Amino acid sequence: MQVFATSKATALGGALNQLTCLFPKSRQAVRIMKLTTIFLLAACLQLSAKGVSQTVSITVKDAPLLTVLKEIKKQTGYFYLADNEWLQKAKNVTISAVNWPLAKVLDECFKGQPLTYNIEGKVINIVPREEKGKTVSVVNDVPPIDVRGRVVNENGEPIQGVTVAVKRKNKSTITDANGLFRIKDLDESDILMFTHVGRESLEMGLAGKSELLITLKTRISSLDEVKIIGYGTTTQRLATGNVERVSSELIGQQIITNPLQALEGQVAGLQITQANGLPGAPINVQIRGQNSIAASNNPLYVIDGVPFTSTPIEILGGPNGNGSSILGSPMNSISPADIESIEILKDADATAIYGSRGSNGVILITTKRNKSGKSKFDFNINKGVGRVTVLPQMLNTEQYLQVRKDAFINSNLTPTVSNAPDLKSWDTTDYTNWQQWYLGGKATLMDVTASYSGGSDQTTFLLGGSYHDESTILPGSTDYKRGSGHLFLGHTSKNKKIDLATNIFYVADKNLLSGTVNGELIDIVRSIPNYPTYNNSDMLNWTGSQTNRIAELLSYSKRRTDNFNSNVTLKYTIFPGFNVKTNLGYNKIEVVQINGFPSTSKNPTTNPTGSSQFANQYIKTYLFEPQVAYNANVGGGSLDILLGATLQNNETNGQFIYMSNYTNDLLIESLNYGSVLFTGGNTTQYKYSSEFGRLTYNYKNRYLINGNVRRDGSSRFGPSKQFGNFGSIGAAWLFSDENFMKNALRWITYGKLRGSYGTAGNDGISDYGYLSLYTNTTNYGTTTAIVPSQIANPNYQWEVNKKLELALEIGLFNERILLTSSWYRNRSNNQLVGYSLPSITGFATYTANLPAVVQNSGYEFELSTINIKKKDISWTTSLNLSIPKNKLLDFPNISATSYANTYVVGKPLSIIQRYHFVGVDPQTGMTVIDDVNQDGLYTSKSSFNSQGGDYVIAGKLTPDWFGGLNNKFSYKGIEVSILIQFMKQQGYNVYSYSGSAFGQLFNTYSSYLDYWKKPGSQANIPAPFATSNTSLTNFRNSDVGVSDASFLRLKNIYAAYNLPIKWLKSVKANSFQIFASGQNIYTWTRYKGYDPETSNNPTPMVPPIKSFMAGIKFSF
Amino acid sequence: MKENPTNKMKRKGSNNRLMAINQLLLLILLSVSILGCKKYVEVTSLSDKLLASQVFSTDASANSAVAGMYRLLRTNLYNGGSYTPAILTGLSSDELYNFFPSSVLDDYKNNNIQITNGSLPWSNLYKIIYSANAIIEGLEGSSSISQSSKNQFTGEAKFVRAFCYFYLINLFGDVPFLSSTEVTTNSTASRNLATQVYNQIINDLLDAQELLDNGYLNSGGERIRVNKAGAIALLARVYLYNQNWSNAELQASAVINSGLYVLLTNIDSFAIKNNNEAILQWANTSSEGNYEPTQFIFTTSPNILCSNSLLTSFESGDLRKTKWIKSGIYSGNTYYYPYKYKSNATANVNEYYTVLRLAEQYLIRAEALAKQNKINVAVADLNIIRQRAGLPSISVNISQDSCLNAIMHERQIELFAEGHRWFDLKRTGRINVVLGALKGNNWQTTDTLFPIPLSDIQKDPNLTQNQGY
C-alpha cells in the first residue's frame, strides 16, 4: 500500500464531518456527490503545506524513518512520495540536528538505508537505492496497473484541473486541488498526456511506473494572463464572457491626470470622451453605447471590490462651476500610479453578477499589490510641458470692425457710442487675440511615484506614494496638485488556511483655477478684439457692458477632494476547494469647495462687494460581502460554485452657503465677515442588499459553461418593487483542442467560440423617487405649512438590459496572431425616466418606467500580433475596432411625451435635430431653410412625431466606428510604443457655437468671413446684423453647425532606454530606465472647431492639451 | 493503519474546531439572509425630507399639512402667475378689461383662449385637490391623531376639495373627479358628468358641516380656515347653482341666522382682516400682500380696469360706485378700476383676500326665495343689501321676473370683481345674449367653457377637449 502522509481514515472522516456540518439536512448530498475519492485525496492537502524554512531541527533516537520524514514535512513543507513497502524496509534513524540544511538531514537519514532520495520541487522522492531517476517503478509489473501521481508547477506547488488523458484510449481524469490524480487499469506501455491551461503540455510513457510526479511548465501566453472578474478571476482562454484588461504598463506610459484617460483607444467597445482639457474635467465613459434615456449611463466602478461613485459629487459644479452643470470626475481622485489593472466587463456573462448595476458595464480597478514577497524599491520621476492642440482662427480687429460696419448697414442702423463703442469710442487699431491670450499658455506637469514592497513567504506588503503637479494652459494662477498614499498588506497563515489581504489608499487633491471658467470658451471667443482692457488712467476698463477678462482672473475656484478607500478580504479554507471569504470595504470621498469673487473682479461702477460660495459634500460607502466558494472535480470536469451576499450602505451629505457683502477681499474665504445670501443641503441614504451565485463547469478545458444569478434589493425602489432578479448564462467551446482540429488545422493553436445571454439592470436614478414626500413652505397664518413635493409611485422597477453576445477567438501559430471578433446586441427596456404626468394628478412628472426599448448592437474586433520575436528584438501590434449601432427600437406614444422633439423611433438616441440649411438668398443675404412641412413658416420643432416643425435629423453624436492601434518595438534595452486613436464621427462645429450673434458686439471665427456682402453676391454665410435676427438664429439652428468630426490621432509615443543589466549589478539595481513620452501629439482631422474630441458639445470647450514629458524610473 | 491516541485526540480537537467554524459559517449565512431581506432596504425616515407617513403621525404635523393646503390655494390660485379666477372670469365676462395688450389676458378678454394658455387654473386646482385628497387619505390611515383633529382636518380638506371642484366644473364643464392620490388611475382618468361631480361636492360639503366646528379653530380665531358656516355658505351657493331652491334657502338662512356674521356698515372695510362680514378669507404673512389689488390699482399706468358695461350698470347714488371703484388719469384720459381692496402693498397689509362673505348669502337667499315665488321675503333680503349701498328700497309689489332681474342686477353690482358674474350669466342662461351683444364676432356659444390644457389632453389618453377648441 502506498502511504501519503496522513491516514486516509482521518481525512475521510474529517471531510465527511465537514460536509455533514455544512449540510446538516442533506447527508444525501454527500452520497450523491460521490466525493469519497476526492476527499481521500483531499486529505493530502497536508502534504502540500508549504513551510517557511528549509532548515531542520530534529533530535530522535532510533525512530522510524517515517517519523523523521513527517517532522521534516512539518518544518519545511517538503512532502515525500514513497511506497509503503519500501518504508517498512527502512532502518530506524538516530539524528541530532539543529538548523541543519534539509539536504544534510536527509543525507544523514538515508545513510546506510536500502533507500535513497531525490528532491524534485518540494517533493522528496524516496526510491530503492538501486533505482535512479525522478519516478519510481513498481516492483510488481503484472498488468493492469493503477497509476497515481501528482502534478506540480515549477515551484512544486500542486496544479489543479490538469487533464490527464491516456493516449489512444478513451480514458482521462483531472487533478484535484492537491494536484493528485489516479487512473486505473492501464497498460505498461500506455502514454499519459498532461494538458492544462496556461501550461505547456507533456506526454509521458508509463514504462511500468505507477507513481508519477509531473512538473508542468508555465506557458507564456497572453491567453493565460489572469484577468479580474466580478468576485473572481479568469483568463482569456477560459473566460465565457467578454472581459478586457488594461495593465498598469499601458496606464503608466501615458501623460494623464485621470486614470480613465489612459483607456482612450485601448479597448473595443469603450468610448471615453473628455469634456474639456482642464485637469479634473468630467470624463464621459460609455461601454457599448447609451442604454438609458434618462437614468444613468455610467458604468459601475468597483475599486478593490468596493463600489465607487460614478457621478460627480461637487455641489458648486466643475473646477470653477459657479453653479454650472459642468462637473468633475470623481475618478480624478484616484492616482493612476496606484493602479495595477483596469478590467472592463461588457457582456451579460461578465456583468450579470453585478445584477441591478451591471447594465452599463462594469469597470473594475485593482490597485497594486505584492505577490512575491521580494523586497523591491521602485521610483519614478518625470516632468513635462503641455500646450493646446488646435485653435480655430478668430477675426482680427480689422476684419471684426468691417463685419460690424456691414452689420449696421444691414440692420439699417447708425452706429453710436452707445450701440457701437467698438466702432465709435474704442481705438480701432487696438488688437488683442483673446483666444490666444486665454489658451495660448504653457502647462507644466510633474509626477513622482515611489513604492517599496517586500515581505516573506507568508506576509507581503507594498507601500506606495505619488505626487502629481500640473498647471494649466490658462492665464492666472491655475494649478492642480494631487498626492496619494497606498498600502497593501497580505498574509497567509502557516497552514495556508487563512488568507488575509488589505488594500488602503488615500488621495488628496487640490484644484485651483482662476477666472470664472468652467471649461467653456464662448465668453472668451466673443470678447471684442479692440476692447480697451485699461482706460486712460491705466485702470481696468469696464465700459461697453463688457466683462474685463483681466479683472475676471481675480476670481477663483478652489476645490479639494479627499478620497479614502479601504478593503479587507479575509479568506478561510475549510478544506481544499472549499473556502469562506468576507470582503469588508469602506470608502469616503469628500469635496470641499470655495469659489471666491473679490470685489476687484467686478465692475466697480456697481459698487460691488466681495462674495463667495462655500460647499462641501461627502459620500460614504460601507460594504460587507460574505462569500462561500467551492470547487470540486465532478463528472470528469471541474466545478466551481460561488455563493455570496452583499450589504451596501451609502450616505451622501452636502451643504452649501452663498455669502456676499464682504468689505475686505482678503476675508472672502471666511464665513465670519460676510452676510448669508442663501444656504442649502442634502442628505440621502442608499441601501443595497443582494444575494448572488455563480456556477462554472469546465469539462476538459474544452467545454465551459457559466451561470450567474443575482437577487438585488435597493432602497431606490418602492416596497413591493425593491427586489429584482438578474442572471446570465455563458458558454464556451475551445474547438482547437478537439482532435479533428489538432489533426487537420494544427496552425490554429487556439480557437474558441463563446456566447452569452442574460440580464443586468440599472438603478441609476435619484433616491426616494417612489415616496410620497412633503416639503416645508411659507407659513399659513401662524401655522407652519408643509405641501406635497413628490407624488408616490411605488410601481417603478429596474431598468432591464438584455444582453446577447457571440464571439469567436482565434489564435494562430502559438497565438502569434490572436483575433477576437464579437457581436453583441443589448436591449434595454423598462426605461426609467422622469415621466410626464397629466397635471390632474397634481404633479408634472414622476419617476416611472417607460415602455421604450433602446438597442445597442455592434461588432468589436481585437487583433494582436507578434510580428518579430527574437532574442534582442521584438515587435508587437494590437488593433481594436468597434462598430457600434444605437437605435431607439420602440417608444409607444412618443408624440405625447416630452421626448417628442428629441427622439425618433428607429434612429439613434444621439440624433441632432435642426433645420436643413439650403443656402443664403443672394438678394437679401438671409438664411434659406428647407420648409419641410411646406407651411411657409420656419417652425423650430421636429418634423417627426407629428410635431409639425421643420427640424430634420442633422446628424448624430455617436461614432460610426472607432478604435486604436498600438505598436510596440523593443531592441535590446530600447523600447518604443506608439498608440494611434481613430474615430469616425460627427460633431458640432464653429457655426454651432456662435452663429446667431454674428454682427453684434461679439467677436467670431474667421470662417465667417465668407459672408453675404451685397445683393446678388453668392455666399455661404448669411449677412451679419447689428441686432438679433432670425436669419442668423435659423443659420445657427441649422445643420451647418453639425459636420464631420472624424479624426486620426497620434495619441501617445513612449520611448525608453533600459540600462543593461550588467551595469546595474554593480549598484544592485534591478532596472534603470530613461524614458520620454508624448500625448496627443498630432491629430489628422477635417473638423472645423477645436479638438474633435470635445465636438459633442454645442459650445466651444477648452480643448485637451498636447504634452511631452521625460523622466527616469528605477528599481532595486 | 493503526492510529495512536494522540492522533485521535487531535482529530477530535480539529473536528470540534471545524464544527465551530461551520457553525459560525452557518450563522453568517443565516444573518446575511435575514439582513438581506426587505427590512434592510426599506426607508423609514429621512433627515431632510418628510415622508407622508410621518406627516400624519401627529396632530401638529397633520395641522401643518392642512395649513399647506390653504397655502397652496392662496399661492397657486390667488397670487400672480396664473392670475386669479376673479380676474380671468371678469375678463371673459363683461366686468373687466386689460388696458395693455397681453397675449395671455387678451385670450380671456376676447373669449379666444388658446389651449396652450399657461394661466388656465386647471392644474393649480388639481394640485390643491391632490393635497386635500392626501390629507383625507392620510388621516383615514392614521391611528395616532386625536379624533377631534381628525374631524376638523378632514372637514377642512373636504371643504377645500369641494371648493376646487366647484370652480373646475363651472370653468371647464365635465371634469375628472379624483378622490384619491393614486397616480396610475388618476393619470388615465376620464371626465365625469358635472352633475356627478356636483353630487360629490354636495356630499363633501355635508360631511364638512358635520365635521367642522362653529369656531375658527387652529388659526387663533382668524377667519382664514374654514368653519362650519363656511361649508354651509358654499353649499348654499352650490344648491343655488343646481336650482335646488329650497335647500339653497335653507343653507343661506343657516349662515344668516347663525349670528356669527353681520354686514359691514362701512363698505370700505370690505377686505379688512377678520371683519364681521367675512366668512372665509385667505391669510397673508407680514411679507405678503393681496395680488388682485396689485393688478387693479394703478399708480403710474392702468392695468386691469372696470368695463364700461359695469360702470354704467350702477344706479346713481350707489355708495359702492364711489367706494369700490376708483379712477386714475393716464395720458389725459380717466380710467376706473376696482377698489374693493384698498392696499396694493406687498407687505404688512391689514387686508385679507375675501373668499366667502355674508352679503352673498343674502343674495343667494333672495334668489332662492324669488324662485319659489316668495317675493316679499326675497325683496326684503335684497333691500338689506341695497340699503347698505345707500340705495332706495325696492317695492315688494313686483313680478317674479322683475324680482329676479333686480337680484341679478344686485349680484352684478355687489359682487363685481369677486368672480361671480361669469358664473351667474352662465347658470341663468343669459350669457349668449349679454356677451353676444357685447363681444360681437369674438363670442361663440362654446366659449362658455374654458379649454382643457393641451398638455393634459396629450398625456391623459382618456381626456377629451371641450367643444370649440
Side-chain angles (χ1 to χ4, degrees), chain A residues 29 41 51 130 184 201 208 299 356 458 462 508 561 619 642 695 708 831 950 956 965 990 1032 1101:
Chain A
L41 297 175
E130 56 275 17
K184 286 183 177 176
S201 299
S356 62
Q458 271 181 274
L462 182 146
T561 312
I619 303 178
L642 170 77
L695 193 146
N708 292 301
Q831 292 284 333
D950 292 311
K956 64 176 169 63
L965 175 68
V990 287
L1032 289 166
M1101 305 301 289

Side-chain angles (χ1 to χ4, degrees), chain A residues 79-90:
Chain A
F79 68 89
Y80 52 91
L81 204 54
D83 191 295
N84 211 15
E85 253 176 81
W86 305 332
L87 281 179
Q88 273 162 17
K89 290 179 193 163

Side-chain angles (χ1 to χ4, degrees), chain A residues 47-335:
Chain A
L47 288 177
S48 69
K50 188 175 148 194
V52 275
S53 70
Q54 290 179 12
T55 58
V56 182
S57 302
I58 187 166
T59 307
V60 288
K61 210 172 176 189
D62 206 23
L65 180 62
L66 189 63
T67 315
V68 180
L69 289 172
K70 276 183 180 170
E71 186 58 34
I72 288 171
K73 186 187 77 65
K74 212 159 124 195
Q75 289 188 26
T76 63
Y78 279 67
F79 68 89
Y80 52 91
L81 204 54
D83 191 295
N84 211 15
E85 253 176 81
W86 305 332
L87 281 179
Q88 273 162 17
K89 290 179 193 163
K91 295 173 186 165
N92 282 359
V93 180
T94 300
I95 188 169
S96 175
V98 179
N99 280 335
W100 285 14
L102 175 64
K104 193 176 169 189
V105 175
L106 289 172
D107 284 344
E108 189 64 30
C109 293
F110 283 89
K111 215 182 260 175
Q113 296 277 16
L115 308 167
T116 186
Y117 76 97
N118 59 57
I119 295 179
E120 184 95 19
K122 287 228 163 186
V123 178
I124 306 163
N125 279 313
I126 296 161
V127 291
R129 195 160 271 283
E130 56 275 17
E131 293 280 343
K132 294 267 161 152
K134 56 182 174 183
T135 55
V136 186
S137 75
V138 179
V139 183
N140 178 4
D141 59 356
V142 180
I145 53 170
D146 289 359
V147 173
R148 58 173 69 188
R150 182 179 169 96
V151 184
V152 295
N153 64 15
E154 296 92 331
N155 299 327
E157 289 154 355
I159 313 171
Q160 183 185 10
V162 176
T163 304
V164 185
V166 186
K167 209 168 182 178
R168 287 182 290 273
K169 278 187 181 168
N170 186 20
K171 211 176 236 184
S172 72
T173 184
I174 57 174
T175 59
D176 66 9
N178 296 308
L180 295 166
F181 69 91
R182 181 176 191 169
I183 302 183
K184 286 183 177 176
D185 300 335
L186 292 182
D187 294 332
E188 209 179 318
S189 58
D190 276 336
I191 295 170
L192 291 183
M193 302 187 297
F194 297 87
T195 49
H196 185 255
V197 176
R199 304 202 176 267
E200 288 178 2
S201 299
L202 188 79
E203 288 189 11
M204 179 178 275
L206 271 185
K209 289 169 278 188
S210 69
E211 288 289 333
L212 299 173
L213 183 81
I214 312 298
T215 305
L216 288 186
K217 284 188 198 154
T218 307
R219 179 158 54 183
I220 319 256
S221 163
S222 62
L223 291 178
D224 301 306
E225 197 181 86
V226 171
K227 286 179 171 181
I228 315 283
I229 53 169
Y231 309 101
T233 57
T234 187
T235 61
Q236 184 176 348
R237 191 187 302 273
L238 290 183
T240 45
N242 197 327
V243 183
E244 298 226 24
R245 177 189 168 89
V246 176
S247 69
S248 60
E249 188 197 2
L250 282 171
I251 298 165
Q253 290 178 353
Q254 305 209 43
I255 314 171
I256 48 167
T257 313
N258 188 319
L260 294 174
Q261 289 172 289
L263 305 178
E264 277 188 68
Q266 303 271 23
V267 179
L270 178 67
Q271 201 194 338
I272 308 263
T273 329
Q274 283 185 72
N276 63 58
L278 296 174
I283 294 192
N284 183 38
V285 178
Q286 259 179 25
I287 299 175
R288 293 184 166 172
Q290 182 184 351
N291 293 306
S292 183
I293 290 173
S296 168
N297 277 293
N298 289 316
L300 171 70
Y301 294 98
V302 180
I303 301 172
D304 290 332
V306 186
F308 188 68
T309 176
S310 60
T311 46
I313 70 164
E314 289 84 355
I315 291 182
L316 299 178
N320 185 350
N322 311 327
S324 149
S325 61
I326 310 288
L327 298 161
S329 166
M331 280 295 155
N332 227 50
S333 55
I334 293 165
S335 169

Side-chain angles (χ1 to χ4, degrees), chain A residues 234-524:
Chain A
T234 187
T235 61
Q236 184 176 348
R237 191 187 302 273
L238 290 183
T240 45
N242 197 327
V243 183
E244 298 226 24
R245 177 189 168 89
V246 176
S247 69
S248 60
E249 188 197 2
L250 282 171
I251 298 165
Q253 290 178 353
Q254 305 209 43
I255 314 171
I256 48 167
T257 313
N258 188 319
L260 294 174
Q261 289 172 289
L263 305 178
E264 277 188 68
Q266 303 271 23
V267 179
L270 178 67
Q271 201 194 338
I272 308 263
T273 329
Q274 283 185 72
N276 63 58
L278 296 174
I283 294 192
N284 183 38
V285 178
Q286 259 179 25
I287 299 175
R288 293 184 166 172
Q290 182 184 351
N291 293 306
S292 183
I293 290 173
S296 168
N297 277 293
N298 289 316
L300 171 70
Y301 294 98
V302 180
I303 301 172
D304 290 332
V306 186
F308 188 68
T309 176
S310 60
T311 46
I313 70 164
E314 289 84 355
I315 291 182
L316 299 178
N320 185 350
N322 311 327
S324 149
S325 61
I326 310 288
L327 298 161
S329 166
M331 280 295 155
N332 227 50
S333 55
I334 293 165
S335 169
D338 287 337
I339 295 175
E340 174 73 35
S341 71
I342 300 179
E343 262 88 1
I344 291 97
L345 316 185
K346 297 192 275 193
D347 71 334
D349 184 74
T351 58
I353 194 85
Y354 287 104
S356 62
R357 299 173 296 183
S359 173
N360 298 317
V362 183
I363 294 184
L364 301 179
I365 295 175
T366 310
T367 58
K368 283 185 175 150
R369 46 196 68 205
N370 177 15
K371 283 174 200 135
S372 68
K374 233 168 141 188
S375 295
K376 207 166 103 174
F377 179 74
D378 287 288
F379 182 81
N380 168 71
I381 181 165
N382 61 62
K383 288 192 86 157
V385 289
R387 279 196 184 281
V388 73
T389 47
V390 62
L391 292 178
Q393 234 187 330
M394 307 297 305
L395 298 182
N396 62 28
T397 302
E398 194 189 333
Q399 292 164 328
Y400 165 76
L401 293 176
Q402 186 57 49
V403 169
R404 287 282 285 162
K405 284 174 196 160
D406 290 347
F408 274 96
I409 294 166
N410 295 336
S411 292
N412 225 351
L413 287 170
T414 314
T416 63
V417 172
S418 73
N419 70 12
D422 49 346
L423 287 168
K424 290 290 166 187
S425 64
W426 299 337
D427 183 354
T428 53
T429 59
D430 198 2
Y431 175 48
T432 309
N433 185 339
W434 288 108
Q435 180 180 255
Q436 188 62 35
W437 167 81
Y438 192 67
L439 296 174
K442 191 176 81 176
T444 60
L445 314 153
M446 184 182 74
D447 269 294
V448 183
T449 63
S451 71
Y452 181 66
S453 54
S456 63
D457 280 2
Q458 271 181 274
T459 307
T460 59
F461 70 90
L462 182 146
L463 186 64
S466 73
Y467 178 71
H468 175 89
D469 189 342
E470 137 176 33
S471 69
T472 72
I473 55 172
L474 306 187
S477 48
T478 59
D479 193 23
Y480 177 78
K481 288 187 174 84
R482 176 176 60 209
S484 80
H486 173 213
L487 174 70
F488 164 78
L489 203 60
H491 176 79
T492 307
S493 68
K494 219 167 186 180
N495 63 5
K496 292 216 149 186
K497 282 192 166 248
I498 295 172
D499 200 54
L500 179 98
T502 179
N503 237 318
I504 298 168
F505 69 79
Y506 174 72
V507 183
D509 74 6
K510 183 179 153 192
N511 203 348
L512 173 69
L513 284 170
S514 286
T516 52
V517 286
N518 50 26
E520 286 181 13
L521 288 173
I522 193 75
D523 289 341
I524 299 298

Side-chain angles (χ1 to χ4, degrees), chain A residues 791-843:
Chain A
I791 191 168
N793 179 16
N795 300 317
Y796 63 84
Q797 253 286 18
W798 319 81
E799 206 169 284
V800 175
N801 192 350
K802 294 185 179 130
K803 303 179 180 183
L804 175 65
E805 162 149 332
L806 288 172
L808 176 67
E809 297 176 9
I810 297 271
L812 309 178
F813 312 112
N814 282 323
E815 286 84 80
R816 292 227 8 197
I817 300 173
L818 189 62
L819 173 69
T820 302
S821 322
S822 41
W823 170 84
Y824 64 92
R825 195 198 69 196
N826 299 342
R827 281 186 176 164
S828 196
N829 59 18
N830 246 1
Q831 292 284 333
L832 276 169
V833 295
Y835 194 79
S836 302
L837 285 172
S839 62
I840 55 171
T841 57
F843 288 86

Side-chain angles (χ1 to χ4, degrees), chain A residues 397 425-427 429-435 437-438 475 527-544 546-554 600-604:
Chain A
T397 302
S425 64
W426 299 337
D427 183 354
T429 59
D430 198 2
Y431 175 48
T432 309
N433 185 339
W434 288 108
Q435 180 180 255
W437 167 81
Y438 192 67
S527 297
I528 312 301
N530 68 331
Y531 178 73
T533 316
Y534 297 94
N535 60 23
N536 293 335
S537 44
D538 274 346
M539 301 291 282
L540 289 170
N541 179 39
W542 285 91
T543 58
Q546 295 286 304
T547 302
N548 190 305
R549 300 290 162 208
I550 307 281
E552 194 181 34
L553 286 184
L554 297 170
T600 47
S601 69
K602 303 175 180 181
N603 190 341

Side-chain angles (χ1 to χ4, degrees), chain A residues 681-693:
Chain A
N682 72 307
T683 309
T684 54
Q685 195 172 39
Y686 168 49
K687 282 184 165 189
Y688 188 88
S689 91
S690 63
E691 287 119 49
F692 55 87

Side-chain angles (χ1 to χ4, degrees), chain A residues 597-709:
Chain A
F597 307 93
S599 61
T600 47
S601 69
K602 303 175 180 181
N603 190 341
T605 57
T606 59
N607 279 328
T609 56
S611 59
S612 46
Q613 303 166 345
F614 301 81
N616 63 70
Q617 168 137 307
Y618 68 75
I619 303 178
K620 276 189 205 173
T621 307
Y622 303 90
L623 182 79
F624 171 53
E625 287 192 320
Q627 292 159 51
V628 181
Y630 176 70
N631 168 273
N633 296 331
V634 175
S638 167
L639 176 76
D640 278 284
I641 298 172
L642 170 77
L643 291 172
T646 299
L647 292 182
Q648 190 190 325
N649 186 352
N650 276 38
E651 284 171 31
T652 306
N653 192 304
Q655 296 93 32
F656 64 87
I657 302 175
Y658 283 36
M659 303 280 291
S660 65
N661 293 329
Y662 286 93
T663 50
N664 186 339
D665 278 350
L666 296 172
L667 295 172
I668 58 170
E669 289 190 26
S670 164
L671 285 169
N672 298 329
Y673 301 100
S675 51
V676 176
L677 272 182
F678 59 96
T679 61
N682 72 307
T683 309
T684 54
Q685 195 172 39
Y686 168 49
K687 282 184 165 189
Y688 188 88
S689 91
S690 63
E691 287 119 49
F692 55 87
R694 174 163 56 210
L695 193 146
T696 312
Y697 187 68
N698 171 351
Y699 186 70
K700 293 185 176 176
N701 288 331
R702 213 181 288 168
Y703 310 101
L704 295 140
I705 186 154
N706 184 40
N708 292 301
V709 286

